[in-house]
Amino acid sequence: MERGKQGGVVLAKLSPQQLQNPIELLQTGFKELENGFKLWLSKQSLPVEAAVVTATAAAQGAAIGAIMGTPTDDASSPFPTPPEASLNPQAMASLKQAQALSGGPLVQAAVMTGVNAGISCVLKRLRGKEDVQSR
C-alpha cells in the first residue's frame, strides 16, 4: 500500500488485490490504529501509560477469562465446597466469603493480566529497554 499526502490529508493508494481482499484491508487498518495508539502512549507520562496498559490488558484478560470460564458449571466458586458437617459454621462462612472474593475466571484473568502488563510497562519504562528482566 502506497501512501501519499495532499493538502494535509493522508491518502492511501490501494492495490487491486487489497480492494478485493477485505481481510487484508482490515488488518492494515488495525495495524495503523495500533501503531498510532502506541505512538500516543509513548508520549504519555509513566503513570498514565501504566494505567492505560493495565486497563487494556485487564479488558483482554477479562475477555479470555469469559471465554475460558464459559464451559464451567459454576464460575463464581472455583473451589469445591467441603461437606458442611465437617466444619463449624464460622469456618464455613469464612470459606464462602473467600470463594466470593476470589471471583470467577473472568475476574481472576483480568486481575492477573492487568497486573502483569502494568508491572512490565513500568519496568520497561524505568530500565529503558524490554528484555527478560523487564518481563
Side-chain angles (χ1 to χ4, degrees):
M1 178 163 74
E2 295 180 35
R3 296 175 83 51
K5 193 167 188 175
Q6 294 179 345
V9 178
V10 177
L11 300 175
K13 297 178 183 175
L14 301 175
S15 67
Q17 295 161 336
Q18 288 174 323
L19 289 175
Q20 295 174 357
N21 188 353
I23 294 174
E24 188 173 326
L25 185 62
L26 186 65
Q27 288 175 337
T28 304
F30 182 74
K31 287 281 185 196
E32 289 178 7
L33 180 67
E34 182 181 17
N35 291 337
F37 179 72
K38 286 181 179 180
L39 179 66
W40 173 81
L41 196 58
S42 69
K43 295 177 183 177
Q44 303 305 313
S45 65
L46 179 60
V48 172
E49 183 181 7
V52 171
V53 166
T54 301
T56 55
Q60 290 174 348
I64 292 168
I67 292 169
M68 298 303 285
T70 300
T72 63
D73 55 351
D74 185 10
S76 64
S77 62
F79 306 109
T81 305
E84 293 189 28
S86 64
L87 291 176
N88 67 16
Q90 282 184 323
M92 195 63 191
S94 175
L95 180 65
K96 287 186 188 266
Q97 185 179 16
Q99 286 176 339
L101 290 175
S102 72
L106 184 137
V107 173
Q108 291 172 358
V111 169
M112 293 303 290
T113 55
V115 169
N116 180 36
I119 291 171
S120 295
C121 172
V122 169
L123 288 174
K124 181 177 85 170
R125 179 73 82 91
L126 290 176
R127 296 186 74 236
K129 59 183 176 180
E130 184 173 10
D131 57 3
V132 176
Q133 290 178 343
S134 296
R135 285 279 174 192

